[in-house]
Amino acid sequence: MGDALWSRVMKGRVRTIRRSYLQWLREWVGQVRGGARTLPFSNMILGLLLVAASWRIWVWYGERMLDGADEPFGVLALAVALGFAWRRELLEAVSWERMVGFVAVLGVYSFFDDRVSLLVSAGFVVLALAVLWGRSDGWVGHWGLFALSLPLIASLQFYGGFPIRWVVGRVCTGLLNLVGLEVTAVGTALHWKGEMVIIDAPCSGIQMLWMGAFFSCVIICRWKLDTLSSFKLLQFAGLAVFGANVLRNFSLFFLETEIIRAPEWGHSGVGLGFFALALWGTWKRAEGLGKLRTKSEELKVGMEGEMKGRAVCMGRDLVLD
């Protein structure tokens, strides 16, 4: 008796849910026929469905963040990216434009999923989330934060660490020769009077480049820089951080060879000092780009107002004539 009653209750609830869904679907179809440009669910719901469907990617992501090979900086970038997307982008209805981009990314992802590494697969998933949750203003910085959320540092160090250290070593050798030291570079090592100073993996500046890119992306999102200004800022930040890393290795040569004696914290202090200088330069560059954007917007508004005023005057003249 109890089972039969429970069965009737559940069937009644299912019928109620089905009727509500059909009514909601009919109303939405009517909105689409009337020219609606959004879909009847939020960006957050669609993004969470993607996260659930790609659960193995997120299991791998957690393992990479905890295995010690990568610094867990990606979690910080992901948290900041979600913070900038909160409320407006996450809770608004999915637009047709975002849906088309989302489906296109997933189509490419489904084709390459079994043919590429998990890092590349995670890149497709993060790109799809950026399409859904990315801001329309300052999108370069917001998409950049989603990209930086990937565990990239170990891979960048493996593939790009040696070439960067090689270039840094040659530039430092030139600077040291300019100040009168006969230094030669062999691979990633600097030789001087029988001593050898090795430019090791931490001195490649990969982590500094990551932090510089993160700092720039946050500024772009906060100040809502346009596309051209955003790429200009990222370019400047990359050059500034690379220059700071060269000057750091140049200065550390004097400490390692004990030409200049410094306390134990001198090694870290030199690196932090030059890195802070690079971030300060990036900030000042962003201020300049922000002021240019403000002036261009004011000029545009002024020109539009002038054109409207001229149109009104011409209309009055025609009426009087």
Side-chain angles (χ1 to χ4, degrees):
M1 185 67 179
D3 292 341
L5 179 61
W6 175 255
S7 178
R8 287 198 298 271
V9 170
M10 291 304 297
K11 288 180 179 179
R13 289 183 177 179
V14 169
R15 285 195 296 269
T16 301
I17 294 173
R18 184 174 58 187
R19 285 196 299 269
S20 300
Y21 174 76
L22 291 175
Q23 181 181 359
W24 166 75
L25 186 61
R26 283 195 296 269
E27 292 176 354
W28 176 71
V29 170
Q31 292 176 0
V32 171
R33 290 177 177 175
R37 295 180 58 83
T38 59
L39 297 171
F41 41 83
S42 69
N43 291 324
M44 182 170 62
I45 293 176
L46 192 58
L48 291 177
L49 289 175
L50 173 61
V51 171
S54 57
W55 61 270
R56 68 186 184 90
I57 298 293
W58 297 104
V59 171
W60 167 84
Y61 182 87
E63 292 175 350
R64 280 292 298 268
M65 288 296 166
L66 299 175
D67 63 3
D70 267 295
E71 297 290 344
F73 294 149
V75 177
L76 173 63
L78 183 60
V80 175
L82 294 178
F84 278 116
W86 180 244
R87 292 186 180 178
R88 189 177 68 178
E89 276 73 19
L90 287 180
L91 301 182
E92 71 179 5
V94 180
S95 65
W96 286 105
E97 292 83 0
R98 288 182 186 267
M99 190 64 182
V100 170
F102 178 75
V103 172
V105 173
L106 288 187
V108 177
Y109 166 57
S110 62
F111 179 78
F112 287 105
D113 185 29
D114 297 330
R115 300 173 176 85
V116 295
S117 65
L118 285 173
L119 179 60
V120 178
S121 296
F124 281 116
V125 173
V126 169
L127 178 59
L129 291 177
V131 170
L132 278 180
W133 296 347
R135 297 168 63 106
S136 56
D137 48 359
W139 69 272
V140 174
H142 206 186
W143 284 38
L145 288 173
F146 278 107
L148 291 173
S149 68
L150 295 170
L152 296 171
I153 293 180
S155 298
L156 292 175
Q157 194 70 263
F158 181 80
Y159 291 106
F162 178 81
I164 293 176
R165 286 185 286 146
W166 188 90
V167 173
V168 169
R170 267 54 187 180
V171 177
C172 286
T173 300
L175 294 176
L176 291 168
N177 290 334
L178 285 177
V179 298
L181 299 178
E182 296 181 359
V183 179
T184 57
V186 179
T188 60
L190 305 180
H191 293 263
W192 177 70
K193 291 185 177 181
E195 297 188 46
M196 182 175 63
V197 177
I198 298 176
I199 303 176
D200 55 6
C203 290
S204 65
I206 294 293
Q207 293 183 351
M208 290 175 63
L209 286 171
W210 190 98
M211 291 300 299
F214 173 78
F215 182 72
S216 301
C217 289
V218 171
I219 292 177
I220 292 169
C221 290
R222 184 66 182 87
W223 290 359
K224 302 176 183 178
L225 297 180
D226 56 34
T227 302
L228 181 59
S229 298
S230 299
F231 282 115
K232 285 182 177 179
L233 182 63
L234 288 171
Q235 181 185 32
F236 179 88
L239 293 174
V241 171
F242 178 79
N245 189 41
V246 169
L247 293 176
R248 177 183 71 165
N249 284 279
F250 170 77
S251 302
L252 290 179
F253 178 86
F254 294 93
L255 302 185
E256 295 295 330
T257 56
E258 296 187 349
I259 296 175
I260 298 176
R261 295 184 179 275
E264 294 183 359
W265 53 265
H267 190 286
S268 300
V270 168
L272 289 175
F274 282 114
F275 182 58
L277 186 62
L279 294 185
W280 176 81
T282 302
W283 177 270
K284 300 303 290 184
R285 176 60 173 162
E287 281 187 343
L289 292 171
K291 290 178 181 178
L292 287 176
R293 176 176 177 269
T294 302
K295 289 181 179 179
S296 63
E297 289 180 351
E298 291 176 352
L299 181 61
K300 182 179 179 180
V301 171
M303 292 180 65
E304 290 178 353
E306 184 178 354
M307 292 298 293
K308 290 180 180 179
R310 289 182 179 179
V312 171
C313 291
M314 290 177 65
R316 288 177 179 175
D317 293 339
L318 290 174
V319 170
L320 294 175
D321 292 342

